[in-house]
Every structure is written in structure tokens, then in C-alpha cells.
Amino acid sequence: DGAGAHTHLELLRIGRDGRALYANKAGQALMGAINAPDRQGLNAHWSELIKQSFQSGSPVETEETIGDRIYLCVFVAVAHADYANLFTRDITQRKEAELRVRQLSRAIEQNPASVIITDIKGRIEYVNPKFCQVTGYAAEEAIGRNPNILKSGELPKEAYQAMWKAIANGQTWTGEFHNRKKNGELFWELASINPVRDASGKITHYVAVKEDITGRKLAEAEREKLISDLKKALAEVKTLSGLLPICAGCKKTHAV
């Protein structure tokens, strides 16, 4: 029993009738928490787990919540014909981390921009639904391949070399790509690519967030064309206006 008092897990020894026969220091604090008036349902549920363990003769493991902030992993194992040991481990940090991951996953899945995650060699490990919608590639077609499946050949190789040099050095790279969809259609994207580091600071992945700016680029091209056409028209008007007095003089002389 003395060894149980030093375990990093909360330990309770529960008899067949559901009464606590022993609790280490952490287990005593836990008993105080689960015996609060609003925790009776939880206490009853643990009694049911102990009953199941006695009936089956096998350990039972589950996860429980106390209040809205404490998550526990509960493990029950029969240690004697008259009692079972109940261990719990606080997994609040792990559960909260899982929640943050789920929230981030939902945000990426629903993001209006294309998101691509690659390993350090450039192999695609994840694409979100927007990527599939924009490019025409299904996720299973893209994963395992290199983002250069979108390469159109319209940009010089120096541009790609500069990008890889920046992100390999841990820098964020922002720029435009003129890419090609699965069906061959060309489109423009504004991309921001960021390196992802592990706890030791080593780069493990790259994340690219890309916005389809084809409409904007077409509008810019139309604007540039309009400006060019206006400049040509103005030049022609100036030329004509310079010729008009001479022509009028010629006409007057001819009339005489």
C-alpha cells in the first residue's frame, strides 16, 4: 500500500460494494471532487466500471470529465477477490491540445483559401477542400506528389529557386504563381509559404496558403489594355490636330 502513495497516478482501492478501502493523497483529493453533490452521477458510473471489471475479470479503461475543465483517464483492474484498484491520470492538457487541433482542422477545412502542407522534401501530405475546388485535383490525387503538378512553365526557374532558398532558411515567402489546373486551364495564385518547426526548432513541414487571384489579374490586364488604348488614341488625336491647320490652308489656297 505504501507504494501506491507515491505513484504519479491517483489511486483508489474500491471494494465490491463500491466503498473506498484505501486512497493515496491524490486519490483522497479526487474522492473529495467526485463526492461533491453535483458529481454523484460520475461516482455512480465509476462504481459501474468496477462492477464490470469484477464480472469480466478484465481491466476496464475509459475517459471521464469532472466539471468542464478536468479530463481523466480511468483504469480499473481487479487486484483481489474483494477489491479492485482504480487509477486515474489527469489528461486535461492532452484533451485541450486535441480540442485546439480539431478547431484548427475545422478552420483549415473551411478556409476560403487553398491550404497545402508538405514535408521538407516538398511531398504533399495534406490539401484542404478549397485546393481541390480550385485545381480540380482530388486530395488522393495530390497527396504524395509535389506541388509542381500545378506548374505551368510560365514562371522562370529562378523564381522557384528563390522560394525554396527562403523557406529552407526558415523565412516566410510570399509571391505569385501562374499555375495550371488539372484540366489545363491557367490561373493565378497569391501564395504565402511558411516553415513549420518542431519543439527543437527543426523545420519539419511547409504550409502554403494560396488565394486565387485570377479575376484580379484579368482585371489588371484589362485596365492596362485600356490605359494603353487611351494613350494610343490621345497620340492619334494630337497628330490629327497638328495636321488640321495645314489642310485647311491647303484647301483655302486651292479655292483661290
Side-chain angles (χ1 to χ4, degrees):
D1 288 2
H6 294 90
T7 179
H8 69 285
L9 302 175
E10 290 86 354
L11 169 65
L12 302 173
R13 181 159 292 171
I14 310 295
R16 280 182 173 272
D17 58 2
R19 292 186 301 109
L21 303 177
Y22 165 80
N24 64 4
K25 188 174 181 180
Q28 291 171 18
L30 183 63
M31 286 291 291
I34 66 174
N35 284 324
D38 61 340
R39 305 287 185 249
Q40 291 306 308
L42 181 64
N43 197 358
H45 181 53
W46 285 12
S47 297
E48 182 63 28
L49 292 177
I50 294 167
K51 184 186 298 183
Q52 289 177 21
S53 188
F54 272 116
Q55 289 175 347
S56 66
S58 301
V60 178
E61 186 173 11
T62 187
E63 292 182 359
E64 302 289 350
T65 306
I66 297 179
D68 57 359
R69 292 289 296 171
I70 301 176
Y71 298 89
L72 299 173
C73 178
V74 182
F75 182 82
V76 179
V78 175
H80 187 272
D82 296 325
Y83 61 81
N85 288 332
L86 185 150
F87 300 89
T88 70
R89 180 162 51 90
D90 189 332
I91 57 171
T92 302
Q93 289 186 342
R94 192 196 82 192
K95 298 295 285 187
E96 290 180 343
E98 290 174 355
L99 176 60
R100 288 193 295 271
V101 169
R102 287 196 299 271
Q103 291 172 335
L104 178 60
S105 296
R106 284 196 295 269
I108 293 175
E109 289 287 311
Q110 299 169 10
N111 202 294
S114 296
V115 178
I116 304 174
I117 300 176
T118 75
D119 64 16
I120 56 173
K121 293 184 178 180
R123 288 187 296 260
I124 297 174
E125 293 188 356
Y126 169 84
V127 294
N128 73 339
K130 186 65 176 181
F131 168 91
C132 301
Q133 178 188 335
V134 170
T135 67
Y137 285 96
E140 56 270 22
E141 293 177 304
I143 291 173
R145 302 176 70 181
N146 191 287
N148 64 15
I149 58 174
L150 303 175
K151 202 171 180 180
S152 66
E154 299 288 327
L155 294 178
K157 65 178 182 179
E158 290 78 13
Y160 295 100
Q161 290 171 346
M163 176 201 74
W164 279 108
K165 182 179 180 181
I167 61 178
N169 288 330
Q171 301 170 357
T172 296
W173 181 89
T174 302
E176 295 180 354
F177 290 119
H178 199 197
N179 284 336
R180 190 182 302 276
K181 300 182 181 183
K182 184 181 178 181
N183 64 6
E185 179 184 344
L186 294 173
F187 69 109
W188 284 93
E189 288 185 304
L190 175 63
S192 177
I193 306 177
N194 293 272
V196 178
R197 301 176 184 273
D198 62 15
S200 67
K202 180 182 177 181
I203 296 175
T204 60
H205 293 81
Y206 299 113
V207 177
V209 180
K210 304 195 295 181
E211 178 189 357
D212 186 341
I213 58 171
T214 307
R216 192 187 79 190
K217 297 292 284 188
L218 290 175
E220 289 176 355
E222 286 293 329
R223 184 183 63 190
E224 292 299 322
K225 184 178 182 302
L226 177 60
I227 292 172
S228 177
D229 290 345
L230 286 172
K231 287 180 177 179
K232 289 179 181 178
L234 287 172
E236 290 175 0
V237 168
K238 287 181 179 179
T239 301
L240 290 173
S241 65
L243 292 174
L244 283 176
I246 298 174
C247 294
C250 291
K251 185 176 180 181
K252 183 176 181 182
T253 303
H254 179 73
V256 173

